[in-house]
Amino acid sequence: MSFVPAALADVRARLARAAALAGRKADAVELIAVSKTQAPDAIEPLLAAGQLTFGENRVQEAAGKWPALRERYPDAHVHLIGQLQSNKADEAVALFEAIHTIDRPSLIAALARAMDRLDRRPRCFVQVNIGDEPQKGGCAVAALPDLLREAVAAGLPVAGLMCLPPADVEAAPYFALLAKLARDHGLAGLSMGMSDDFETAAMLGATHVRIGSALFGTRA
């Protein structure tokens, strides 16, 4: 795991350069280290190097490893970046500092109830199916205004929008569209950009980038 701190330094430097090219400060973009499928001993070198924000895809997996890691690193924050089932809303609200994949009214209602019960309000990002891909989660662009109204009316702390552009095409137009949608709705947060395109995302306004393989190496 000796490559992990070096990989972290490289990603941070690239992120800072990309932000600077757009006239932004490096700290305007939060790096989320995607630790899904990674064991605690793979995550700990990043924690020890000062990386404190992580992303997980599944509630059950995160619940199995983060309580113990947080005992040693109490300042660590974990974001849910994978799809969330409504019946896992209570667990998600209890475990995560932010939820990036809100995409339907039933999930909004379940999260609102969970937040009221637990008196805890993680930041929420509405996921937009920016490429209109049937196999991906996220609400349709046309459905976004109504979904945002529902989320706000339900009391969810909506921080911004999230997207996963189509694979194997230029991501910039999709990032630009998400940024425009966020501006149109008065939202500051933009969760967009992964290992292959995070520099483009940073130049186009991302406030959160989700980096996995560039930090941990390619998954088997």
Side-chain angles (χ1 to χ4, degrees):
M1 294 300 167
S2 60
F3 71 91
V4 171
L8 176 62
D10 177 66
V11 167
R12 284 177 171 172
R14 290 167 60 191
L15 195 55
R17 284 195 298 270
L21 285 171
R24 307 176 69 202
K25 295 182 178 179
D27 62 5
V29 191
E30 184 169 4
L31 171 60
I32 301 172
V34 177
S35 50
K36 66 176 183 179
T37 75
Q38 301 293 340
D41 62 355
I43 297 168
E44 196 149 4
L46 281 175
L47 285 162
Q51 174 63 31
L52 294 174
T53 305
F54 291 80
E56 292 284 344
N57 263 34
R58 297 182 179 181
V59 174
Q60 187 172 357
E61 181 188 344
K65 61 190 180 186
W66 277 101
L69 285 167
R70 279 171 160 162
E71 287 183 6
R72 297 193 294 279
Y73 299 92
D75 293 331
H77 300 289
V78 188
H79 294 205
L80 180 65
I81 60 171
Q83 294 302 301
L84 177 61
Q85 296 175 318
S86 296
N87 63 5
K88 299 282 188 181
D90 282 79
E91 294 171 82
V93 167
L95 182 59
F96 298 106
E97 278 72 36
I99 298 169
H100 290 239
T101 52
I102 294 164
D103 62 358
R104 59 195 186 277
S106 60
L107 181 56
I108 288 171
L111 286 169
R113 292 191 296 269
M115 289 181 188
D116 288 342
R117 278 193 294 269
L118 299 172
D119 193 23
R120 192 169 190 270
R121 311 196 95 75
R123 289 172 292 154
C124 295
F125 292 79
V126 171
Q127 182 177 355
V128 181
N129 189 342
I130 204 75
D132 192 24
E133 297 175 278
Q135 77 277 17
K136 283 186 179 175
C139 74
V141 171
L144 179 61
D146 286 343
L147 196 67
L148 283 171
R149 278 192 288 271
E150 287 194 46
V152 171
L156 268 60
V158 179
L161 304 179
M162 178 270 220
C163 77
L164 291 163
D168 302 321
V169 298
E170 173 56 48
Y174 298 96
F175 293 154
L177 175 56
L178 194 76
K180 180 184 184 301
L181 291 170
R183 288 194 303 272
D184 289 348
H185 293 285
L187 295 169
L190 284 170
S191 173
M192 61 187 195
M194 299 190 294
S195 290
D196 290 338
D197 53 25
F198 70 88
E199 290 157 300
T200 300
M203 287 189 282
L204 289 172
T207 58
H208 298 73
V209 293
R210 309 178 304 270
I211 311 298
S213 59
L215 293 172
F216 293 100
T218 304
R219 290 180 181 84

